[in-house]
Amino acid sequence: DQQVKQNSPSLSVQEGRISILNCDYTNSMFDYFLWYKKYPAEGPTFLISISSIKDKNEDGRFTVFLNKSAKHLSLHIVPSQPGDSAVYFCAAPHSGSARQLTFGSGTQLTVLP
Amino acid sequence: DTAVSQTPKYLVTQMGNDKSIKCEQNLGHDTMYWYKQDSKKFLKIMFSYNNKELIINETVPNRFSPKSPDKAHLNLHINSLELGDSAVYFCASSQGLAGPSTQYFGPGTRLTVL
């Protein structure tokens, strides 16, 4: 049972335009969400996070929006740059004893020059 | 300055062998994790240690045995390797268990079982 879902395996965007990556979740106990970025042959690196008490968090070109009623979050990258080309994972920590992360399957973003 | 490091980066071995993957973090974190990324690219938790104590053991065959000699190290030993163990294994660390805690990942170890 996938509790975090990323339904778009890939996305291509022109440089300078907006990239929107989507993520849905089913577990209403999730209270915090993270986005990770992963380049080939490297580990995931933390990008941005949002607490469930907020509906928006912004960090430079990256903004994450959270819609709790729809159990949906999205990552906006504006303007997109070729260096943003990577796999983006949405993740949420469990509320149990260890806070292990449940990941979505990832979206490959390609920013075309 | 490597925050979370893993060795080796690549590991190719025969079925039935025993192998180990080492992980070290220099972030001063007290919690470490092992994740497995399978062929479908899903990242799934395997184990979690807090202050050298096992706190998560997901449904993982007992051929996999993590060992934490100290807070900065979490090694993964795999006995009697099988073809299905081929995957990329990521180590991660974070500080504390309460509240939001960003996890920092190592570069991964690609294990290929022939």
Side-chain angles (χ1 to χ4, degrees), chain A residues 2-102:
Chain A
Q2 257 186 281
Q3 297 187 54
V4 178
K5 299 178 186 180
Q6 294 175 257
N7 293 318
S8 298
S10 63
L11 174 69
S12 290
V13 169
Q14 209 67 36
E15 181 178 5
R17 306 293 289 269
I18 183 172
S19 296
I20 300 176
L21 298 104
N22 294 305
C23 177
D24 297 297
Y25 62 96
T26 58
N27 188 340
S28 57
M29 297 296 290
F30 287 149
D31 59 1
Y32 192 73
F33 301 90
L34 306 94
W35 283 93
Y36 280 84
K37 175 178 174 180
K38 185 182 178 307
Y39 292 116
E42 294 183 13
T45 54
F46 170 72
L47 189 59
I48 191 169
S49 61
I50 188 166
S51 165
S52 61
I53 62 172
K54 295 186 175 182
D55 55 17
K56 176 182 173 181
N57 188 27
E58 191 172 351
D59 183 2
R61 297 185 297 113
F62 302 91
T63 303
V64 57
F65 295 92
L66 175 62
N67 182 335
K68 281 187 293 185
S69 60
K71 294 194 176 71
H72 176 84
L73 60 155
S74 60
L75 173 68
H76 293 212
I77 307 174
V78 182
S80 301
Q81 299 174 354
D84 296 330
S85 297
V87 178
Y88 289 79
F89 290 96
C90 171
H94 283 241
S95 57
S97 61
R99 306 290 281 170
Q100 74 272 26
L101 294 174
T102 293

Side-chain angles (χ1 to χ4, degrees), chain A residues 2 4 32 34 36 38 41-46 49 51 89 93 96-106, chain B residues 9-10 33 35 37 40-43 45 48 55-56 58 90 97-108:
Chain A
Q2 257 186 281
V4 178
Y32 192 73
L34 306 94
Y36 280 84
K38 185 182 178 307
E42 294 183 13
T45 54
F46 170 72
S49 61
S51 165
F89 290 96
S97 61
R99 306 290 281 170
Q100 74 272 26
L101 294 174
T102 293
F103 283 86
S105 53
Chain B
K9 194 166 174 64
Y10 299 96
Y33 308 81
Y35 288 85
Q37 186 177 32
K40 294 183 181 177
K41 305 302 182 186
F42 282 101
L43 273 155
I45 185 72
S48 175
I55 51 174
I56 294 177
E58 290 293 309
F90 290 98
L97 295 176
S101 182
T102 301
Q103 292 182 21
Y104 295 85
F105 284 79

Side-chain angles (χ1 to χ4, degrees), chain B residues 71-103:
Chain B
K71 285 197 311 183
H73 296 84
L74 181 61
N75 303 323
L76 184 64
H77 188 77
I78 315 170
N79 288 326
S80 303
L81 278 155
E82 300 178 357
L83 293 176
D85 298 332
S86 295
V88 182
Y89 293 85
F90 290 98
C91 177
S93 73
S94 66
Q95 180 58 35
L97 295 176
S101 182
T102 301
Q103 292 182 21

Side-chain angles (χ1 to χ4, degrees), chain B residues 13-27:
Chain B
T13 188
Q14 299 285 335
M15 250 183 4
N17 284 349
D18 302 339
K19 291 293 178 186
S20 292
I21 306 171
K22 295 186 176 180
C23 177
E24 176 181 3
Q25 53 95 5
N26 62 7
L27 297 167

